[in-house]
Amino acid sequence: MSPRLVTSESVTEGHPDKMCDQISDAILDEIVARDPAARVACETAITTGFVLVTGEISTTAYVDIPRIARETIRDIGYVSSAIGFDWETCGVVTAINEQSRDIAAGVNRSWEARHGRAESAELDTGAGDQGMMIGFACDETPELMPLTISLAHRLARRLADARKSGELPWLRPDGKSQVTIEYDDGWRPRRAEAIVVSTQHAPDVDREAVETEVRRHIIDTIVDGALIDDATNVFVNPSGRFVVGGPRGDAGLTGRKIIVDTYGGVARHGGGAFSGKDPTKVDRSAAYAARWVAKTIVAAGLARRCEVTLSYAIGVARPTSVNVDTFGTGEVPDAAILAAVGKHFDLRPGAIIRDLDLRRPIFRAVAAYGHFGRTGIDVPWEDTGRAADLAADARRGG
């Protein structure tokens, strides 16, 4: 059979789109730290010397949005116009409205409550929108994520670490990575087909030095040498010079890296972005819950690969559909796993918010380098504490 090639990409925190995600989530974090019940849908756009923050925010708290935007840009590393953007001198414009009263009414009091079917006041929260949310897990890596996206994220983060530590002082904040892995028919990684790293750099460093040092300090420290063979294509800045970067080189927008944020294209995507949205928006909270369920299924040994799909109607608490697909890798039938999931996971928005404790400022930390498979930060949807009970129930037939 022909080789199965899978590719995923990531971007650094200095990529213009990721800058916008981080600004939006930094604003969200500061608001929910002061007003956990706030409704936030915050969008950021950025271009040369200019930041626009817009959206719908309903809150009792006051936060200094321009200050948060500037400090986020500074933390990313755009501290001088010489590298393309200056956190102190850039223009910041805000255009904020309150959440629509029509939407708020459906979220505040769910369809179930309005029709006498609510089970508790605590969980009387309707979904903030309709849509599909997808979670995925597989056994390719310890964090139960696809190897391609895990490597791409690690390469991008390594670029940032080498820049900030001074290990490679000529690196600049903007950058991208991409990894293509060849798999066998059983979804086991065989080898790396291609590795791509593109990084912004100082104007006085030559191309050969960029290629040599990125290979030595970035790629060789992240990618297992056993995956690289003589046929592996390794590209460093394949377009050549990369001095003009960040918002000076390309405009950025919140929510434009949804595949980077999730599973690198290995799983499907419902289309909703995460950053800047409070947890009543199921685009975010239900996607986290779907990952929580899928990861628990794989951690329980019930399947090697699992995709969980949820769907919601605006203003309705209970999902309109829940589906589990183990792609033929399940140890028990998918129907038995689905029945067990129904017993161990309450997928109403109010229950998700409660069980994952989402009314907290934990979101900026995942606004770069992926929302899933993260370690060392507060990501409750990565917890697999329910795995043993789920496995026992599924093996009994749900």
Side-chain angles (χ1 to χ4, degrees), residues 3-191:
R4 185 199 303 265
L5 299 177
V6 177
T7 302
S8 297
E9 71 159 347
S10 183
V11 298
T12 65
E13 61 207 65
H15 184 281
D17 293 330
K18 272 287 141 222
M19 293 176 68
C20 293
D21 287 343
Q22 291 167 91
I23 292 169
S24 293
D25 272 339
I27 293 166
L28 171 66
D29 273 359
E30 187 146 343
I31 291 173
V32 298
R34 303 182 186 193
D35 177 12
R39 301 288 168 78
V40 181
C42 179
E43 309 282 347
T44 304
I46 197 166
T47 187
T48 306
F50 179 76
V51 181
L52 171 65
V53 180
T54 186
E56 297 79 42
I57 299 176
S58 298
T59 180
T60 59
Y62 168 78
V63 299
D64 187 342
I65 289 176
R67 174 188 59 78
I68 297 168
R70 292 183 190 280
E71 290 178 353
T72 303
I73 294 165
R74 178 199 62 195
D75 294 346
I76 290 168
Y78 286 106
V79 296
S80 167
S81 58
I83 62 173
F85 208 84
D86 188 333
W87 70 284
E88 290 186 291
T89 62
C90 65
V92 181
V93 174
T94 62
I96 303 295
N97 294 310
E98 289 188 341
Q99 183 181 57
S100 159
R101 293 182 181 181
D102 294 341
I103 295 174
V107 175
N108 294 339
R109 193 161 184 261
S110 67
W111 180 91
E112 288 87 342
R114 285 178 275 121
H115 289 78
R117 302 182 186 181
E119 296 177 19
S120 71
E122 177 192 13
L123 302 178
D124 183 16
T125 300
D129 203 351
Q130 69 176 43
M132 302 80 66
M133 297 82 209
I134 295 168
F136 181 80
C138 60
D139 65 354
E140 296 172 24
T141 61
E143 62 271 26
L144 303 186
M145 286 286 286
L147 178 61
T148 49
I149 190 64
S150 288
L151 286 176
H153 283 323
R154 290 172 59 198
L155 287 167
R157 182 180 286 278
R158 177 75 182 117
L159 281 173
D161 290 344
R163 169 176 59 88
K164 292 180 177 181
S165 69
E167 183 180 347
L168 296 177
W170 43 264
L171 287 174
R172 296 294 182 260
D174 198 359
K176 286 186 171 185
S177 60
Q178 184 171 285
V179 176
T180 301
I181 297 292
E182 178 185 315
Y183 289 80
D184 65 21
D185 294 336
W187 280 107
R188 298 296 185 188
R190 282 178 173 169
R191 53 179 293 275

Side-chain angles (χ1 to χ4, degrees), residues 178-257:
Q178 184 171 285
V179 176
T180 301
I181 297 292
E182 178 185 315
Y183 289 80
D184 65 21
D185 294 336
W187 280 107
R188 298 296 185 188
R190 282 178 173 169
R191 53 179 293 275
E193 171 69 16
I195 300 167
V196 184
V197 175
S198 295
T199 181
Q200 185 186 11
H201 58 82
D204 57 353
V205 63
D206 63 67
R207 178 182 173 85
E208 183 178 347
V210 172
E211 290 185 5
T212 301
E213 296 303 294
V214 167
R215 178 68 188 259
R216 178 185 303 160
H217 291 269
I218 308 300
I219 297 172
D220 290 347
T221 63
I222 295 299
V223 182
D224 185 348
L227 289 171
I228 299 176
D229 57 27
D230 292 341
T232 300
N233 295 304
V234 179
F235 299 103
V236 176
N237 284 17
S239 68
R241 183 177 169 88
F242 186 179
V243 172
V244 177
R248 184 182 169 195
D250 191 11
L253 188 65
T254 297
R256 205 157 57 181
K257 286 291 176 284

Side-chain angles (χ1 to χ4, degrees), residues 247-289:
R248 184 182 169 195
D250 191 11
L253 188 65
T254 297
R256 205 157 57 181
K257 286 291 176 284
I258 58 176
I259 300 302
V260 171
D261 285 341
T262 53
Y263 308 101
V266 174
R268 291 173 291 179
H269 197 294
F274 302 155
S275 290
K277 297 178 181 178
D278 76 81
T280 66
K281 279 71 171 176
V282 284
D283 279 343
R284 179 166 223 155
S285 55
Y288 290 169

